[in-house]
Amino acid sequence: MPPPVIVLDNGASTIKVGLGPEPRIISNAVVRSKGDKMSYFGHEIARCEDYSSLHYRLPFEKGYLVDWDAQKAIWDGIFSDEVLGVDTTQSSLLITEPYFNLPNIQDIYDQLIFEEYEFSSYYRCSPASLIPYGQLFSQPGLPPPDCMIVVDSGFSFTHVIPMIDGKIVWNVVKRLDVGGKLLTNHLKELVSFRQWNMMDETYIMNHVKESCCFVSTNFQQDTETCRIDPKRNPIVQEYVLPDLSTNRKGRIRQPDDIITETDQILVMNNERFTVPELLFRPDDIGLDQAGLSSTIAHSISLLPTDLQGMFWANIGLIGGNTKFSGFRDRLLSELRSLAPVECEVVIYECEDPITEVYKSAYNFAMDDGFLSHVVTRAEYAESGSSASRRKFRDWRPQESEKEKVREAVPSKLKGKQQQHREDDRSQAPSKPTKTRSTRAGAGTGSASTAPRKR
C-alpha cells in the first residue's frame, strides 16, 4: 500500500494543506499580540482574541523562503496532532516552491524534508506546473488546452506563466512586483494619512482590503464620482473597526446597523479602487514596470507566432488578488485592445483561486504516475540534492540539457572555423596583393613588414 500523500501548497501568506480533496487554510506567519503578550504559530492564530497591533514574523521575504526557523515551527504545528496528526516518516509530501527558486534554498528544502522530518519521499514544483491537473481550463467534452497562460497574483508578486504541453516556458515568464502585501501596505499608508493611524494594524487593514476593495472598469469616471461628492456617492463605504473590548470583529456597515458612540468608523472612498489599480498601473507609485495587461501581451509576443492565438484564448487566473470584484472584466477589456484582431481573448476563472493549486496538486498526487516523479529517502541518502535536481524540472536547465549544450557549442565553433577557412581560401585569389613602396635610400628593394617606429 503506498504511503499517504500530504499536499502542502506553501504560500507566502497562507498554507493550504491536507490529505483529502479539500484543504485547510493556515496563516504562514508567527504572530505576537501586544494585547495578551502571546505568540501564535500558524494554525494557532485562530485562537488569538486581541488583534490590535499584531507583530508578524513571516518566513517569506520578497517571495523567497528565508526564515527557516519560523517555517519549521509552523510546519511542526501542521504535522502535529492538532492539525493533520501524521507520521512523517511513513508519509509522502507534495510541496510547492516559489517561481525561480534559488538553488541554495532548494537544497535546504531537501535537507529539512528528509533529514528533519524524514519523509519517505517527496515532490517539489512551482504552483503553475500543477494547474493542468486541475479544473481551471476544463470544458465539457474537450481535452485540456496544449497552450495556456497562467496568471498567478499572490502575496509577494504577480507572475505571468506560459505553458506548452503542461510544461512552463521559463524564458518568457514575466514578473510584476505587485502583490497582496504591497496592496495592504499601500492601503495602510493612505488610511493613516487621511483618517486613522493604522500603520501597526496589518491584520485589520488586510481584512478591510479583502472586504471593501474592487477593480474599477472605468477608473476616470469613478475618480470623478468620488471627487464631486466625497461623502455621499455610490462608491463610498463605511467599515466598522473591531471593538476589542467586546471581542467584536470588524465589518462593513449595513443600512440596518446600529452604531454606538464607541464604534469607530473607517470611511472607504476612492481607496476602494485606487489600491487594486496598482496591478494595472504600477507607475502610480513609481514602479518602473508595465501593468498586468501589457505584461501578458509582451509575454505572448515572445512565443512562437503560430501558437500565439491559442495563448490568447486560454488565460487562467489563480491567486488571492484575482478575487477582487471586477478583476476579470477589467483585464478582459484591456487585453482585447492589445490582442491582434484575428485572436479571441478568453479568460478562465475558478470557484476559489486561492485553493485551486491545492486541488490540482491533490489530483496529481492521486494519479497513478505520481510515484515515478518523487525522490525517495533512499535516493537522497545516496545522491543528496543531486537526486532532486535530476528529477524536478524547474527554471534551470537539466543536467542532460547542459551536457547537450556543452557538446553542441564546440561542434558549432568547429564548423564556423572550418567555414571561415573555406571562405578565406575562396576569397584569397580575388584580392589584389598590396606591396608597400620603400623610400629611396632605405637600403632594401622589398616591402618591409615590420611596424615603423615613431
Side-chain angles (χ1 to χ4, degrees):
M1 181 179 178
V5 180
I6 301 171
V7 178
L8 197 151
D9 180 13
N10 199 52
S13 175
T14 58
I15 296 175
K16 284 69 68 176
V17 64
L19 294 163
E22 292 298 326
R24 179 167 176 177
I25 301 178
I26 295 169
S27 180
N28 194 7
V30 178
V31 173
R32 181 168 179 81
S33 173
K34 291 184 179 179
D36 56 15
K37 309 295 183 184
M38 295 286 290
S39 293
Y40 301 92
F41 297 84
H43 69 285
E44 298 174 349
I45 297 176
R47 304 174 191 167
C48 181
E49 297 181 354
D50 189 350
Y51 293 101
S52 64
S53 302
L54 296 181
H55 174 72
Y56 280 79
R57 180 181 173 185
L58 302 176
F60 279 78
E61 184 68 32
K62 295 183 179 178
Y64 294 101
L65 181 49
V66 294
D67 191 340
W68 287 96
D69 292 333
Q71 189 66 87
K72 185 177 184 302
I74 296 167
W75 286 354
D76 287 344
I78 290 174
F79 300 139
S80 69
D81 294 336
E82 295 183 15
V83 183
L84 295 181
V86 294
D87 180 7
T88 56
T89 62
Q90 302 297 321
S91 305
S92 182
L93 178 68
L94 192 162
I95 188 171
T96 60
E97 64 175 349
Y99 303 100
F100 298 107
N101 202 11
L102 301 176
N104 291 344
I105 298 178
Q106 291 176 330
D107 293 346
I108 303 176
Y109 273 90
D110 300 340
Q111 179 182 347
L112 195 67
I113 287 167
F114 282 123
E115 297 181 18
E116 292 288 338
Y117 293 109
E118 298 182 348
F119 276 95
S120 62
S121 61
Y122 101 113
Y123 180 76
R124 186 187 70 238
C125 63
S126 57
S129 62
L130 297 165
I131 292 301
Y133 298 95
Q135 302 297 316
L136 179 59
F137 291 95
S138 63
Q139 290 182 297
L142 295 176
D146 295 328
C147 301
M148 63 182 76
I149 292 277
V150 177
V151 179
D152 188 352
S153 186
F155 182 71
S156 303
F157 304 117
T158 297
H159 285 90
V160 177
I161 307 108
M163 302 183 69
I164 298 177
D165 292 333
K167 298 178 181 178
I168 297 176
V169 188
W170 286 105
N171 61 328
V172 292
V173 174
K174 299 299 175 185
R175 189 184 83 182
L176 181 63
D177 295 339
V178 179
K181 182 179 181 180
L182 185 145
L183 299 182
T184 302
N185 290 338
H186 185 58
L187 179 60
K188 284 195 300 184
E189 292 176 0
L190 290 177
V191 170
S192 299
F193 179 74
R194 298 173 180 177
Q195 300 181 61
W196 305 94
N197 182 8
M198 305 295 288
M199 291 304 294
D200 293 333
E201 307 295 347
T202 303
Y203 182 89
I204 296 173
M205 293 312 299
N206 189 66
H207 187 262
V208 173
K209 179 194 73 176
E210 294 175 355
S211 304
C212 300
C213 289
F214 68 94
V215 175
S216 172
T217 54
N218 193 331
F219 186 79
Q220 292 183 346
Q221 180 180 329
D222 289 343
T223 304
E224 188 65 18
T225 301
C226 293
R227 187 190 66 81
I228 293 174
D229 190 355
K231 294 186 177 179
R232 294 182 181 179
N233 61 67
I235 295 174
V236 70
Q237 199 171 58
E238 293 183 344
Y239 183 90
V240 184
L241 293 172
D243 187 351
L244 302 176
S245 61
T246 60
N247 197 24
R248 188 171 61 185
K249 296 183 178 181
R251 68 193 188 280
I252 297 174
R253 182 181 179 181
Q254 302 298 329
D256 56 347
D257 273 358
I258 300 174
I259 302 300
T260 64
E261 295 180 356
T262 58
D263 285 335
Q264 295 176 314
I265 305 298
L266 178 65
V267 180
M268 294 288 289
N269 195 14
N270 63 4
E271 298 91 351
R272 293 187 63 198
F273 58 88
T274 55
V275 171
E277 184 70 15
L278 299 180
L279 289 163
F280 298 89
R281 291 291 301 275
D283 54 341
D284 285 353
I285 57 170
L287 281 178
D288 188 18
Q289 286 186 311
L292 179 58
S293 307
S294 300
T295 303
I296 294 173
H298 178 57
S299 180
I300 294 178
S301 69
L302 300 174
L303 293 160
T305 307
D306 55 338
L307 300 179
Q308 290 181 10
M310 298 177 65
F311 285 102
W312 283 110
N314 295 287
I315 300 173
L317 306 179
I318 60 173
N321 296 326
T322 64
K323 294 184 70 174
F324 283 125
S325 175
F327 183 94
R328 179 186 178 278
D329 296 336
R330 169 70 177 274
L331 183 62
L332 182 61
S333 65
E334 292 193 0
L335 288 179
R336 279 176 174 163
S337 65
L338 296 172
V341 178
E342 66 275 9
C343 294
E344 180 186 11
V345 180
V346 181
I347 297 179
Y348 291 86
E349 289 181 301
C350 50
E351 294 181 2
D352 188 355
I354 294 178
T355 60
E356 179 62 25
V357 171
Y358 173 89
K359 294 176 180 177
S360 302
Y362 177 77
N363 292 340
F364 176 51
M366 295 299 103
D367 189 79
D368 294 336
F370 171 71
L371 293 178
S372 63
H373 294 87
V374 301
V375 169
T376 64
R377 192 163 58 211
E379 290 174 336
Y380 177 79
E382 180 181 351
S383 306
S385 293
S386 298
S388 300
R389 285 190 282 271
R390 283 196 299 267
K391 278 202 170 183
F392 302 156
R393 289 191 64 88
D394 60 7
W395 60 277
R396 294 174 299 158
Q398 299 290 85
E399 295 296 330
S400 58
E401 295 174 2
K402 290 180 181 178
E403 292 175 1
K404 290 179 182 177
V405 171
R406 292 193 198 102
E407 294 173 359
V409 169
S411 61
K412 287 181 180 179
L413 291 175
K414 186 176 180 181
K416 287 182 179 179
Q417 291 171 355
Q418 185 175 359
Q419 182 67 31
H420 286 319
R421 285 197 295 268
E422 292 175 356
D423 293 343
D424 292 342
R425 293 194 196 100
S426 61
Q427 294 176 6
S430 62
K431 289 185 179 180
T433 57
K434 296 182 180 180
T435 58
R436 186 182 302 164
S437 60
T438 58
R439 291 182 298 173
T444 178
S446 61
S448 174
T449 58
R452 271 186 274 173
K453 294 183 180 179
R454 295 186 179 180

